[in-house]
Amino acid sequence: MKRRVFIAAALPAALAACGADNVWDDAEAVKAARFVSNEPPSITLFTVIGIPRGEGGHSALMINGSQRVIYDPAGTWNHPSIPERHDVLYGITDNFKNFYIDYHARETYWVAEERVPVSREVADLAIRRAEANGSANKAFCAVETSAVLRGLPGFENAPSGFSPLKLRNWFMTLPGVTSKRHMDGDPANNHNVLIRQKNGEFTGYARR
């Protein structure tokens, strides 16, 4: 797989415009990174929200089915151990989920995590739709997240448009949804996920 700079300790000054890439890592890397969670199948919407004005900065999906992935349209997070194909990030262990959340949460943004239980079939359909959706254009994170959701049973009414907040408000009305707030008072160029090295490999864990 293509090696990229490890950026868990540095992040861009702003997220409001999201980002864009056209990464396509090789099949061997994607297969090797595959992670199967023991949690029930689910679809999770991440929404990055500005402080103090409350503007929506980014939308992304974490999908837990036959494997756990993050669909991060026009996103900017990456890690050298996480292969990516057109905005789909593979190998999302709990550790890397923490990295992803903490990358976005800081003194100027907080992260909303809304999770909806689904069947294994719906979760795997979501993964396939995310994989087929292609790379998102800059600032199209909510548009493309909604496009993936609208092709799923039970999610057909996902609102289209550029507003992560509008999408989140709708997602919060779905049956069985649960919510978490991730706050982090660290400066905009710092992270609350600590890094430790063992046998030459970096791992992260959330500071409690």
Side-chain angles (χ1 to χ4, degrees):
M1 96 183 237
K2 181 173 70 62
R3 305 301 291 179
R4 286 166 287 184
V5 176
F6 177 52
I7 58 173
L11 47 89
L15 288 174
C18 304
D21 62 46
N22 197 28
V23 178
W24 187 264
D25 284 323
D26 60 59
E28 290 78 10
V30 171
K31 181 178 179 180
R34 181 187 180 95
F35 171 73
V36 180
S37 171
N38 58 8
E39 295 179 348
S42 62
I43 294 176
T44 299
L45 176 69
F46 290 125
T47 310
V48 182
I49 301 173
I51 301 172
R53 292 181 297 172
E55 71 278 12
H58 189 53
S59 297
L61 296 174
M62 184 172 69
I63 308 165
N64 185 39
S66 58
Q67 61 178 313
R68 190 161 71 184
V69 306
I70 288 179
Y71 175 57
D72 194 31
T76 57
W77 182 80
N78 66 70
H79 187 283
S81 297
I82 297 296
E84 176 181 349
R85 284 188 164 188
H86 287 174
D87 295 335
V88 179
L89 307 169
Y90 298 88
I92 304 301
T93 64
D94 292 343
N95 191 56
F96 285 119
K97 174 191 172 184
N98 288 339
F99 266 137
Y100 181 85
I101 291 171
D102 199 77
Y103 171 82
H104 295 90
R106 68 199 90 138
E107 65 181 1
T108 50
Y109 289 94
W110 64 279
V111 178
E113 177 185 348
E114 270 79 42
R115 179 178 300 184
V116 172
V118 297
S119 69
R120 171 74 169 269
E121 291 74 19
V122 170
D124 285 347
L125 176 59
I127 293 173
R128 295 195 299 272
R129 285 186 57 80
E131 290 173 328
N133 205 51
S135 293
N137 292 323
K138 186 176 181 179
F140 274 67
C141 53
V143 172
E144 301 301 343
T145 299
S146 178
V148 169
L149 289 172
R150 284 199 304 274
L152 304 176
F155 297 82
E156 296 93 343
N157 294 323
S160 60
F162 289 87
S163 173
L165 294 181
K166 182 180 178 181
L167 180 59
R168 179 188 180 229
N169 289 340
W170 170 83
F171 200 90
M172 290 175 68
T173 69
L174 294 173
V177 66
T178 58
S179 298
K180 291 182 181 180
R181 293 170 63 99
H182 300 277
M183 311 289 292
D184 188 342
D186 283 352
N189 62 349
N190 194 18
H191 290 271
N192 194 42
V193 167
L194 305 180
I195 302 168
R196 58 189 172 190
Q197 186 173 6
K198 182 178 181 181
N199 298 327
E201 296 184 359
F202 286 105
T203 60
Y205 57 101
R207 185 166 59 215
R208 302 301 181 188

